[in-house]
Amino acid sequence: MEALERENIMLREAMIENQRLKLLLKARGYAQDRNYLLCRIIARSPTTWFRSVVIDKGERDGIRPNTPIIDGNGVVGKVISSQPFSSSVMLLIDPDMKIGGIVQRTRAMGIVCGNSTNICKMKYLMDEKDAAIGDLVLTSGVGGIFPKGIPIGKVVKVRRKGTFFEADIIPASDLSRLEEVMAIVGGGKR
C-alpha cells in the first residue's frame, strides 16, 4: 500500500509540474529574437517579502548581470550577480528594481519601481488619465534590459504624487510561488 501511495504522490507532482512548465512555455512568445533558458529556483531570500531568489543557471550557461527573468505571466526580475553554476535574481518587488513601463491602453510611459511589498509603483505619469484601475502595464523596452511588451502587472490605484501621478501595480507574476522561470539570453540588443 505504501508503494502505491508514493507512486500516486509522484504522479500528482509530475502533473502539477507539467502544468507549470506549459504555462512557462508561453513566455517564449514575448521576444521572438531572443533565446530562453529554463531555470529552477534553488533558494529564496529569508526576508518576509521575498525580494530575491537564486536560480540554478549561471555564467557557464550565458547568464550575466542584468539578464531578464520572466515566467509565463510576465516579469519576475533581473539577474544581479552570477557565478559559474548559479545566479542571484532581484525580484520585481525589490525597492532597488526599476523598469521602464508603458500603460497598454494609453501608451503613457513611466518607471516601475519595487516597493518591498506585493505592490509596485509606476512613477512619473503626467496626467491622471494616463492610467486607470485595471490597465495593463508592459515593459517599454527603454533601458535595454527587458524587451518591449512583457506584462509587468495591472493598475489597482492612481494618485497624485507632487507634480506627477503614480499608479500602484499588482505584479502579473506570483513572485511568492515561483519554482521555474525563464532567463532571456542572447539575440536582440542589451
Side-chain angles (χ1 to χ4, degrees):
M1 186 70 162
E2 284 181 21
L4 201 54
E5 215 170 287
R6 274 194 305 274
E7 186 176 333
N8 197 8
I9 289 169
M10 289 173 35
L11 285 172
R12 271 191 247 137
E13 278 298 305
M15 284 176 37
I16 292 168
E17 180 182 42
N18 188 28
Q19 290 170 343
R20 284 194 321 268
L21 293 175
K22 278 184 181 179
L23 177 61
L24 203 52
L25 284 176
K26 271 183 30 182
R28 295 178 60 180
Y30 292 135
Q32 300 293 335
D33 63 336
R34 301 283 186 101
N35 297 317
Y36 295 85
L37 184 61
L38 175 67
C39 308
R40 296 195 187 277
I41 306 297
I42 58 173
R44 294 180 183 274
S45 67
T47 59
T48 304
W49 290 101
F50 298 122
R51 296 185 297 177
S52 66
V53 295
V54 177
I55 57 176
D56 68 345
K57 300 291 189 288
E59 294 168 352
R60 70 177 177 95
D61 303 295
I63 305 283
R64 303 284 181 266
N66 290 327
T67 297
I69 304 295
I70 62 176
D71 71 4
N73 295 312
V75 172
V76 168
K78 69 178 182 178
V79 172
I80 51 174
S81 66
S82 58
Q83 298 74 41
F85 301 101
S86 65
S87 300
S88 295
V89 176
M90 177 190 304
L91 296 178
L92 179 60
I93 59 173
D94 189 288
D96 292 330
M97 180 63 119
K98 293 174 182 36
I99 301 174
I102 185 168
V103 178
Q104 187 178 45
R105 179 181 59 84
T106 65
R107 312 314 288 167
M109 292 192 175
I111 304 293
V112 177
C113 306
N115 196 33
S116 288
T117 68
N118 63 345
I119 303 262
C120 296
K121 306 274 184 205
M122 184 171 188
K123 298 181 177 184
Y124 309 115
L125 295 169
M126 300 301 284
D127 190 284
E128 185 176 27
K129 295 176 186 155
D130 282 348
I133 293 172
D135 279 347
L136 182 62
V137 177
L138 308 170
T139 54
S140 67
V142 174
I145 294 175
F146 285 89
K148 185 175 183 176
I150 301 172
I152 295 173
K154 288 202 181 210
V155 174
V156 293
K157 185 176 183 180
V158 180
R159 69 182 153 290
R160 179 175 285 284
K161 189 78 171 183
T163 57
F164 295 100
F165 288 85
E166 183 176 278
D168 288 351
I169 299 169
I170 297 262
S173 298
D174 186 347
L175 303 175
S176 67
R177 298 187 190 279
L178 296 172
E179 293 185 56
E180 299 91 8
V181 293
M182 293 281 232
I184 303 176
V185 295
K189 293 181 182 175
R190 277 225 276 199

